[in-house]
Amino acid sequence: MPVLERSLRYLFAPIILAFIGIAVIQQLTVTWQGWLPRFDDLPYYLLSLSAVLALQFSCGRISYLSILLLLYYHLSQTEPLVSFDRDQVFLTGTLIITFFAISKDRSPISIHFFKVLIGISACFALAFVWKAGAEGLSSFNMTQLPSMLNLIASLYLPIGISCIVISIYTVWHATGTNSTIALTQFIWLFHYYLPNDMAFSILLSMLAAAYLFSMLFALYDLAYKDELTGLASRRALNTMALSLNKHYCVAMVDIDHFKSFNDTYGHDVGDQVLRLVAKKLSKVKGGGQVFRYGGEEFTIVFESRNIERVLPHLEEIRQKISQYNIVLRDQGRKGKSKLDRNRKQKPNQTVNITISIGVAEQRGETSFEKTLKSADEALYKAKNNGRNCVFA
């Protein structure tokens, strides 16, 4: 189910939206053809803007793709690439998109720039070799294995492999950037196989808009999401507080003895514990919205709920966390050979963690800050009462 969810969200959803956009524009053929001269200059502005913004946010892959597409569009506008083999250009572009799909984001202004140049050059060389080999095979008049020869001599094999690779990376490395790269491949395929169905300027404008939205979403995550746990951050909590109604409950959650746990097992294990607790808390029932407040503290906000309705859900999540066994792997395991690891198979140590929860209810008499302070006071009472409990 998680794989299917990632597929729908990061791979198919952008492509389906782009397909719907193309279908809608096609229904308005007369309108967009009348505006086409104005659309011809739009990719220059949008792709340039996306390249600059991507450079600012160190989204190297989007920046490179924007520049390359801008260069290709400029060449196709000034001289229609008649001197180039269309299949050769298409295969090269597909390989370059695949190269960026499996690469990591690096700052364009760094030593990695030369690695990108080498990768792009390799894509040009590979496309040239493949096309030359395919033309050589197609020149032979062989009667055996004709279907296999036709497959090798065509572009279907490398294009199919590229699409599979991009799809797998988009699903397993589910990010907005990978999603837009998959969309780039879709637009590139559409432009090659259906060149007369949609003007390339409109396709590139749609793609550049997707690049810009992708960076806006990345900027939002940077501002309002906690990088370690993936939960909404304290800034998101403060923003949400401005739109709360007059009746809600706030719960403050703290991991018991986290400092001593961190000192005993190390910060890496401590980070794993934080991620685990965050994942468990995010599944709290009753409509609670979870935020990382800071350190080992979390905040849960229940809108339009009273304490009587909230307490059972908090008690349930407290029990689930306290009953969960965390398996600690041998920290020296990575430095040992496989033979040594198999020779001494000691059982991994398991530990349990507990949380303390304080909750307060707001009925319009006080501000959010005071309600949050009341929940924090309830949290300290829960700790003074022995920890691993909920105090209202």
Side-chain angles (χ1 to χ4, degrees), residues 217-330:
F217 288 135
L219 182 61
Y220 175 85
D221 289 344
L222 185 65
Y224 291 102
K225 277 196 174 182
D226 177 63
E227 184 178 5
L228 177 64
T229 62
L231 294 177
S233 65
R234 186 170 178 175
R235 177 179 294 178
L237 174 65
N238 295 332
T239 302
M240 179 195 180
L242 301 176
S243 60
L244 285 173
N245 56 28
K246 298 294 184 180
H247 184 206
Y248 55 86
C249 282
V250 178
M252 290 295 294
V253 182
D254 186 85
I255 302 176
D256 297 329
H257 304 294
F258 182 74
K259 187 179 183 303
S260 59
F261 184 92
N262 219 16
D263 294 338
T264 302
Y265 300 106
H267 292 285
D268 290 340
V269 178
D271 289 345
Q272 294 176 15
V273 169
L274 286 172
R275 284 192 288 265
L276 170 66
V277 172
K279 184 177 181 181
K280 295 292 183 181
L281 290 176
S282 65
K283 297 179 181 179
V284 66
K285 299 177 182 178
Q289 300 183 57
V290 186
F291 304 83
R292 187 183 180 190
Y293 192 76
E296 67 271 22
E297 285 190 314
F298 302 87
T299 305
I300 309 177
V301 179
F302 297 87
E303 290 192 71
S304 303
R305 298 288 191 275
N306 55 33
I307 286 184
E308 288 75 15
R309 295 181 61 183
V310 163
L311 283 176
H313 302 304
L314 294 175
E315 182 63 29
E316 179 185 4
I317 202 69
R318 182 199 64 79
Q319 291 181 4
K320 285 183 178 180
I321 292 176
S322 64
Q323 294 169 0
Y324 189 85
N325 294 324
I326 303 176
V327 179
L328 301 179
R329 294 187 177 184
D330 183 8

Side-chain angles (χ1 to χ4, degrees), residues 31-168:
T31 303
W32 70 258
Q33 284 184 346
W35 285 75
L36 191 56
R38 300 185 181 183
F39 275 115
D40 287 344
D41 294 332
L42 193 57
Y44 289 111
Y45 301 115
L46 293 180
L47 286 174
S48 299
L49 180 60
S50 65
V52 172
L53 289 179
L55 185 66
Q56 181 69 25
F57 295 120
S58 298
C59 298
R61 293 182 293 170
I62 297 297
S63 183
Y64 288 125
L65 283 172
S66 298
I67 294 172
L68 290 172
L69 287 170
L70 189 61
L71 178 61
Y72 173 76
Y73 180 70
H74 175 70
L75 292 175
S76 64
Q77 290 293 102
T78 53
E79 50 179 289
L81 298 176
V82 292
S83 58
F84 297 92
D85 187 338
R86 185 168 179 268
D87 292 344
Q88 182 81 38
V89 172
F90 171 66
L91 180 57
T92 303
T94 302
L95 294 178
I96 290 175
I97 295 171
T98 308
F99 166 71
F100 283 118
I102 63 177
S103 302
K104 293 183 179 180
D105 264 319
R106 307 287 188 183
S107 176
I109 307 176
S110 65
I111 190 64
H112 299 285
F113 171 76
F114 299 100
K115 296 181 180 179
V116 171
L117 287 182
I118 294 173
I120 294 175
S121 301
C123 291
F124 273 95
L126 183 59
F128 177 80
V129 171
W130 182 277
K131 194 67 171 60
E135 289 176 354
L137 285 175
S138 61
S139 64
F140 289 99
N141 186 15
M142 298 178 65
T143 57
Q144 295 181 347
L145 304 175
S147 58
M148 181 178 295
L149 283 176
N150 289 334
L151 179 63
I152 295 176
S154 68
L155 298 179
Y156 294 131
L157 186 59
I159 299 305
I161 294 174
S162 297
C163 291
I164 292 173
V165 170
I166 291 175
S167 299
I168 292 174

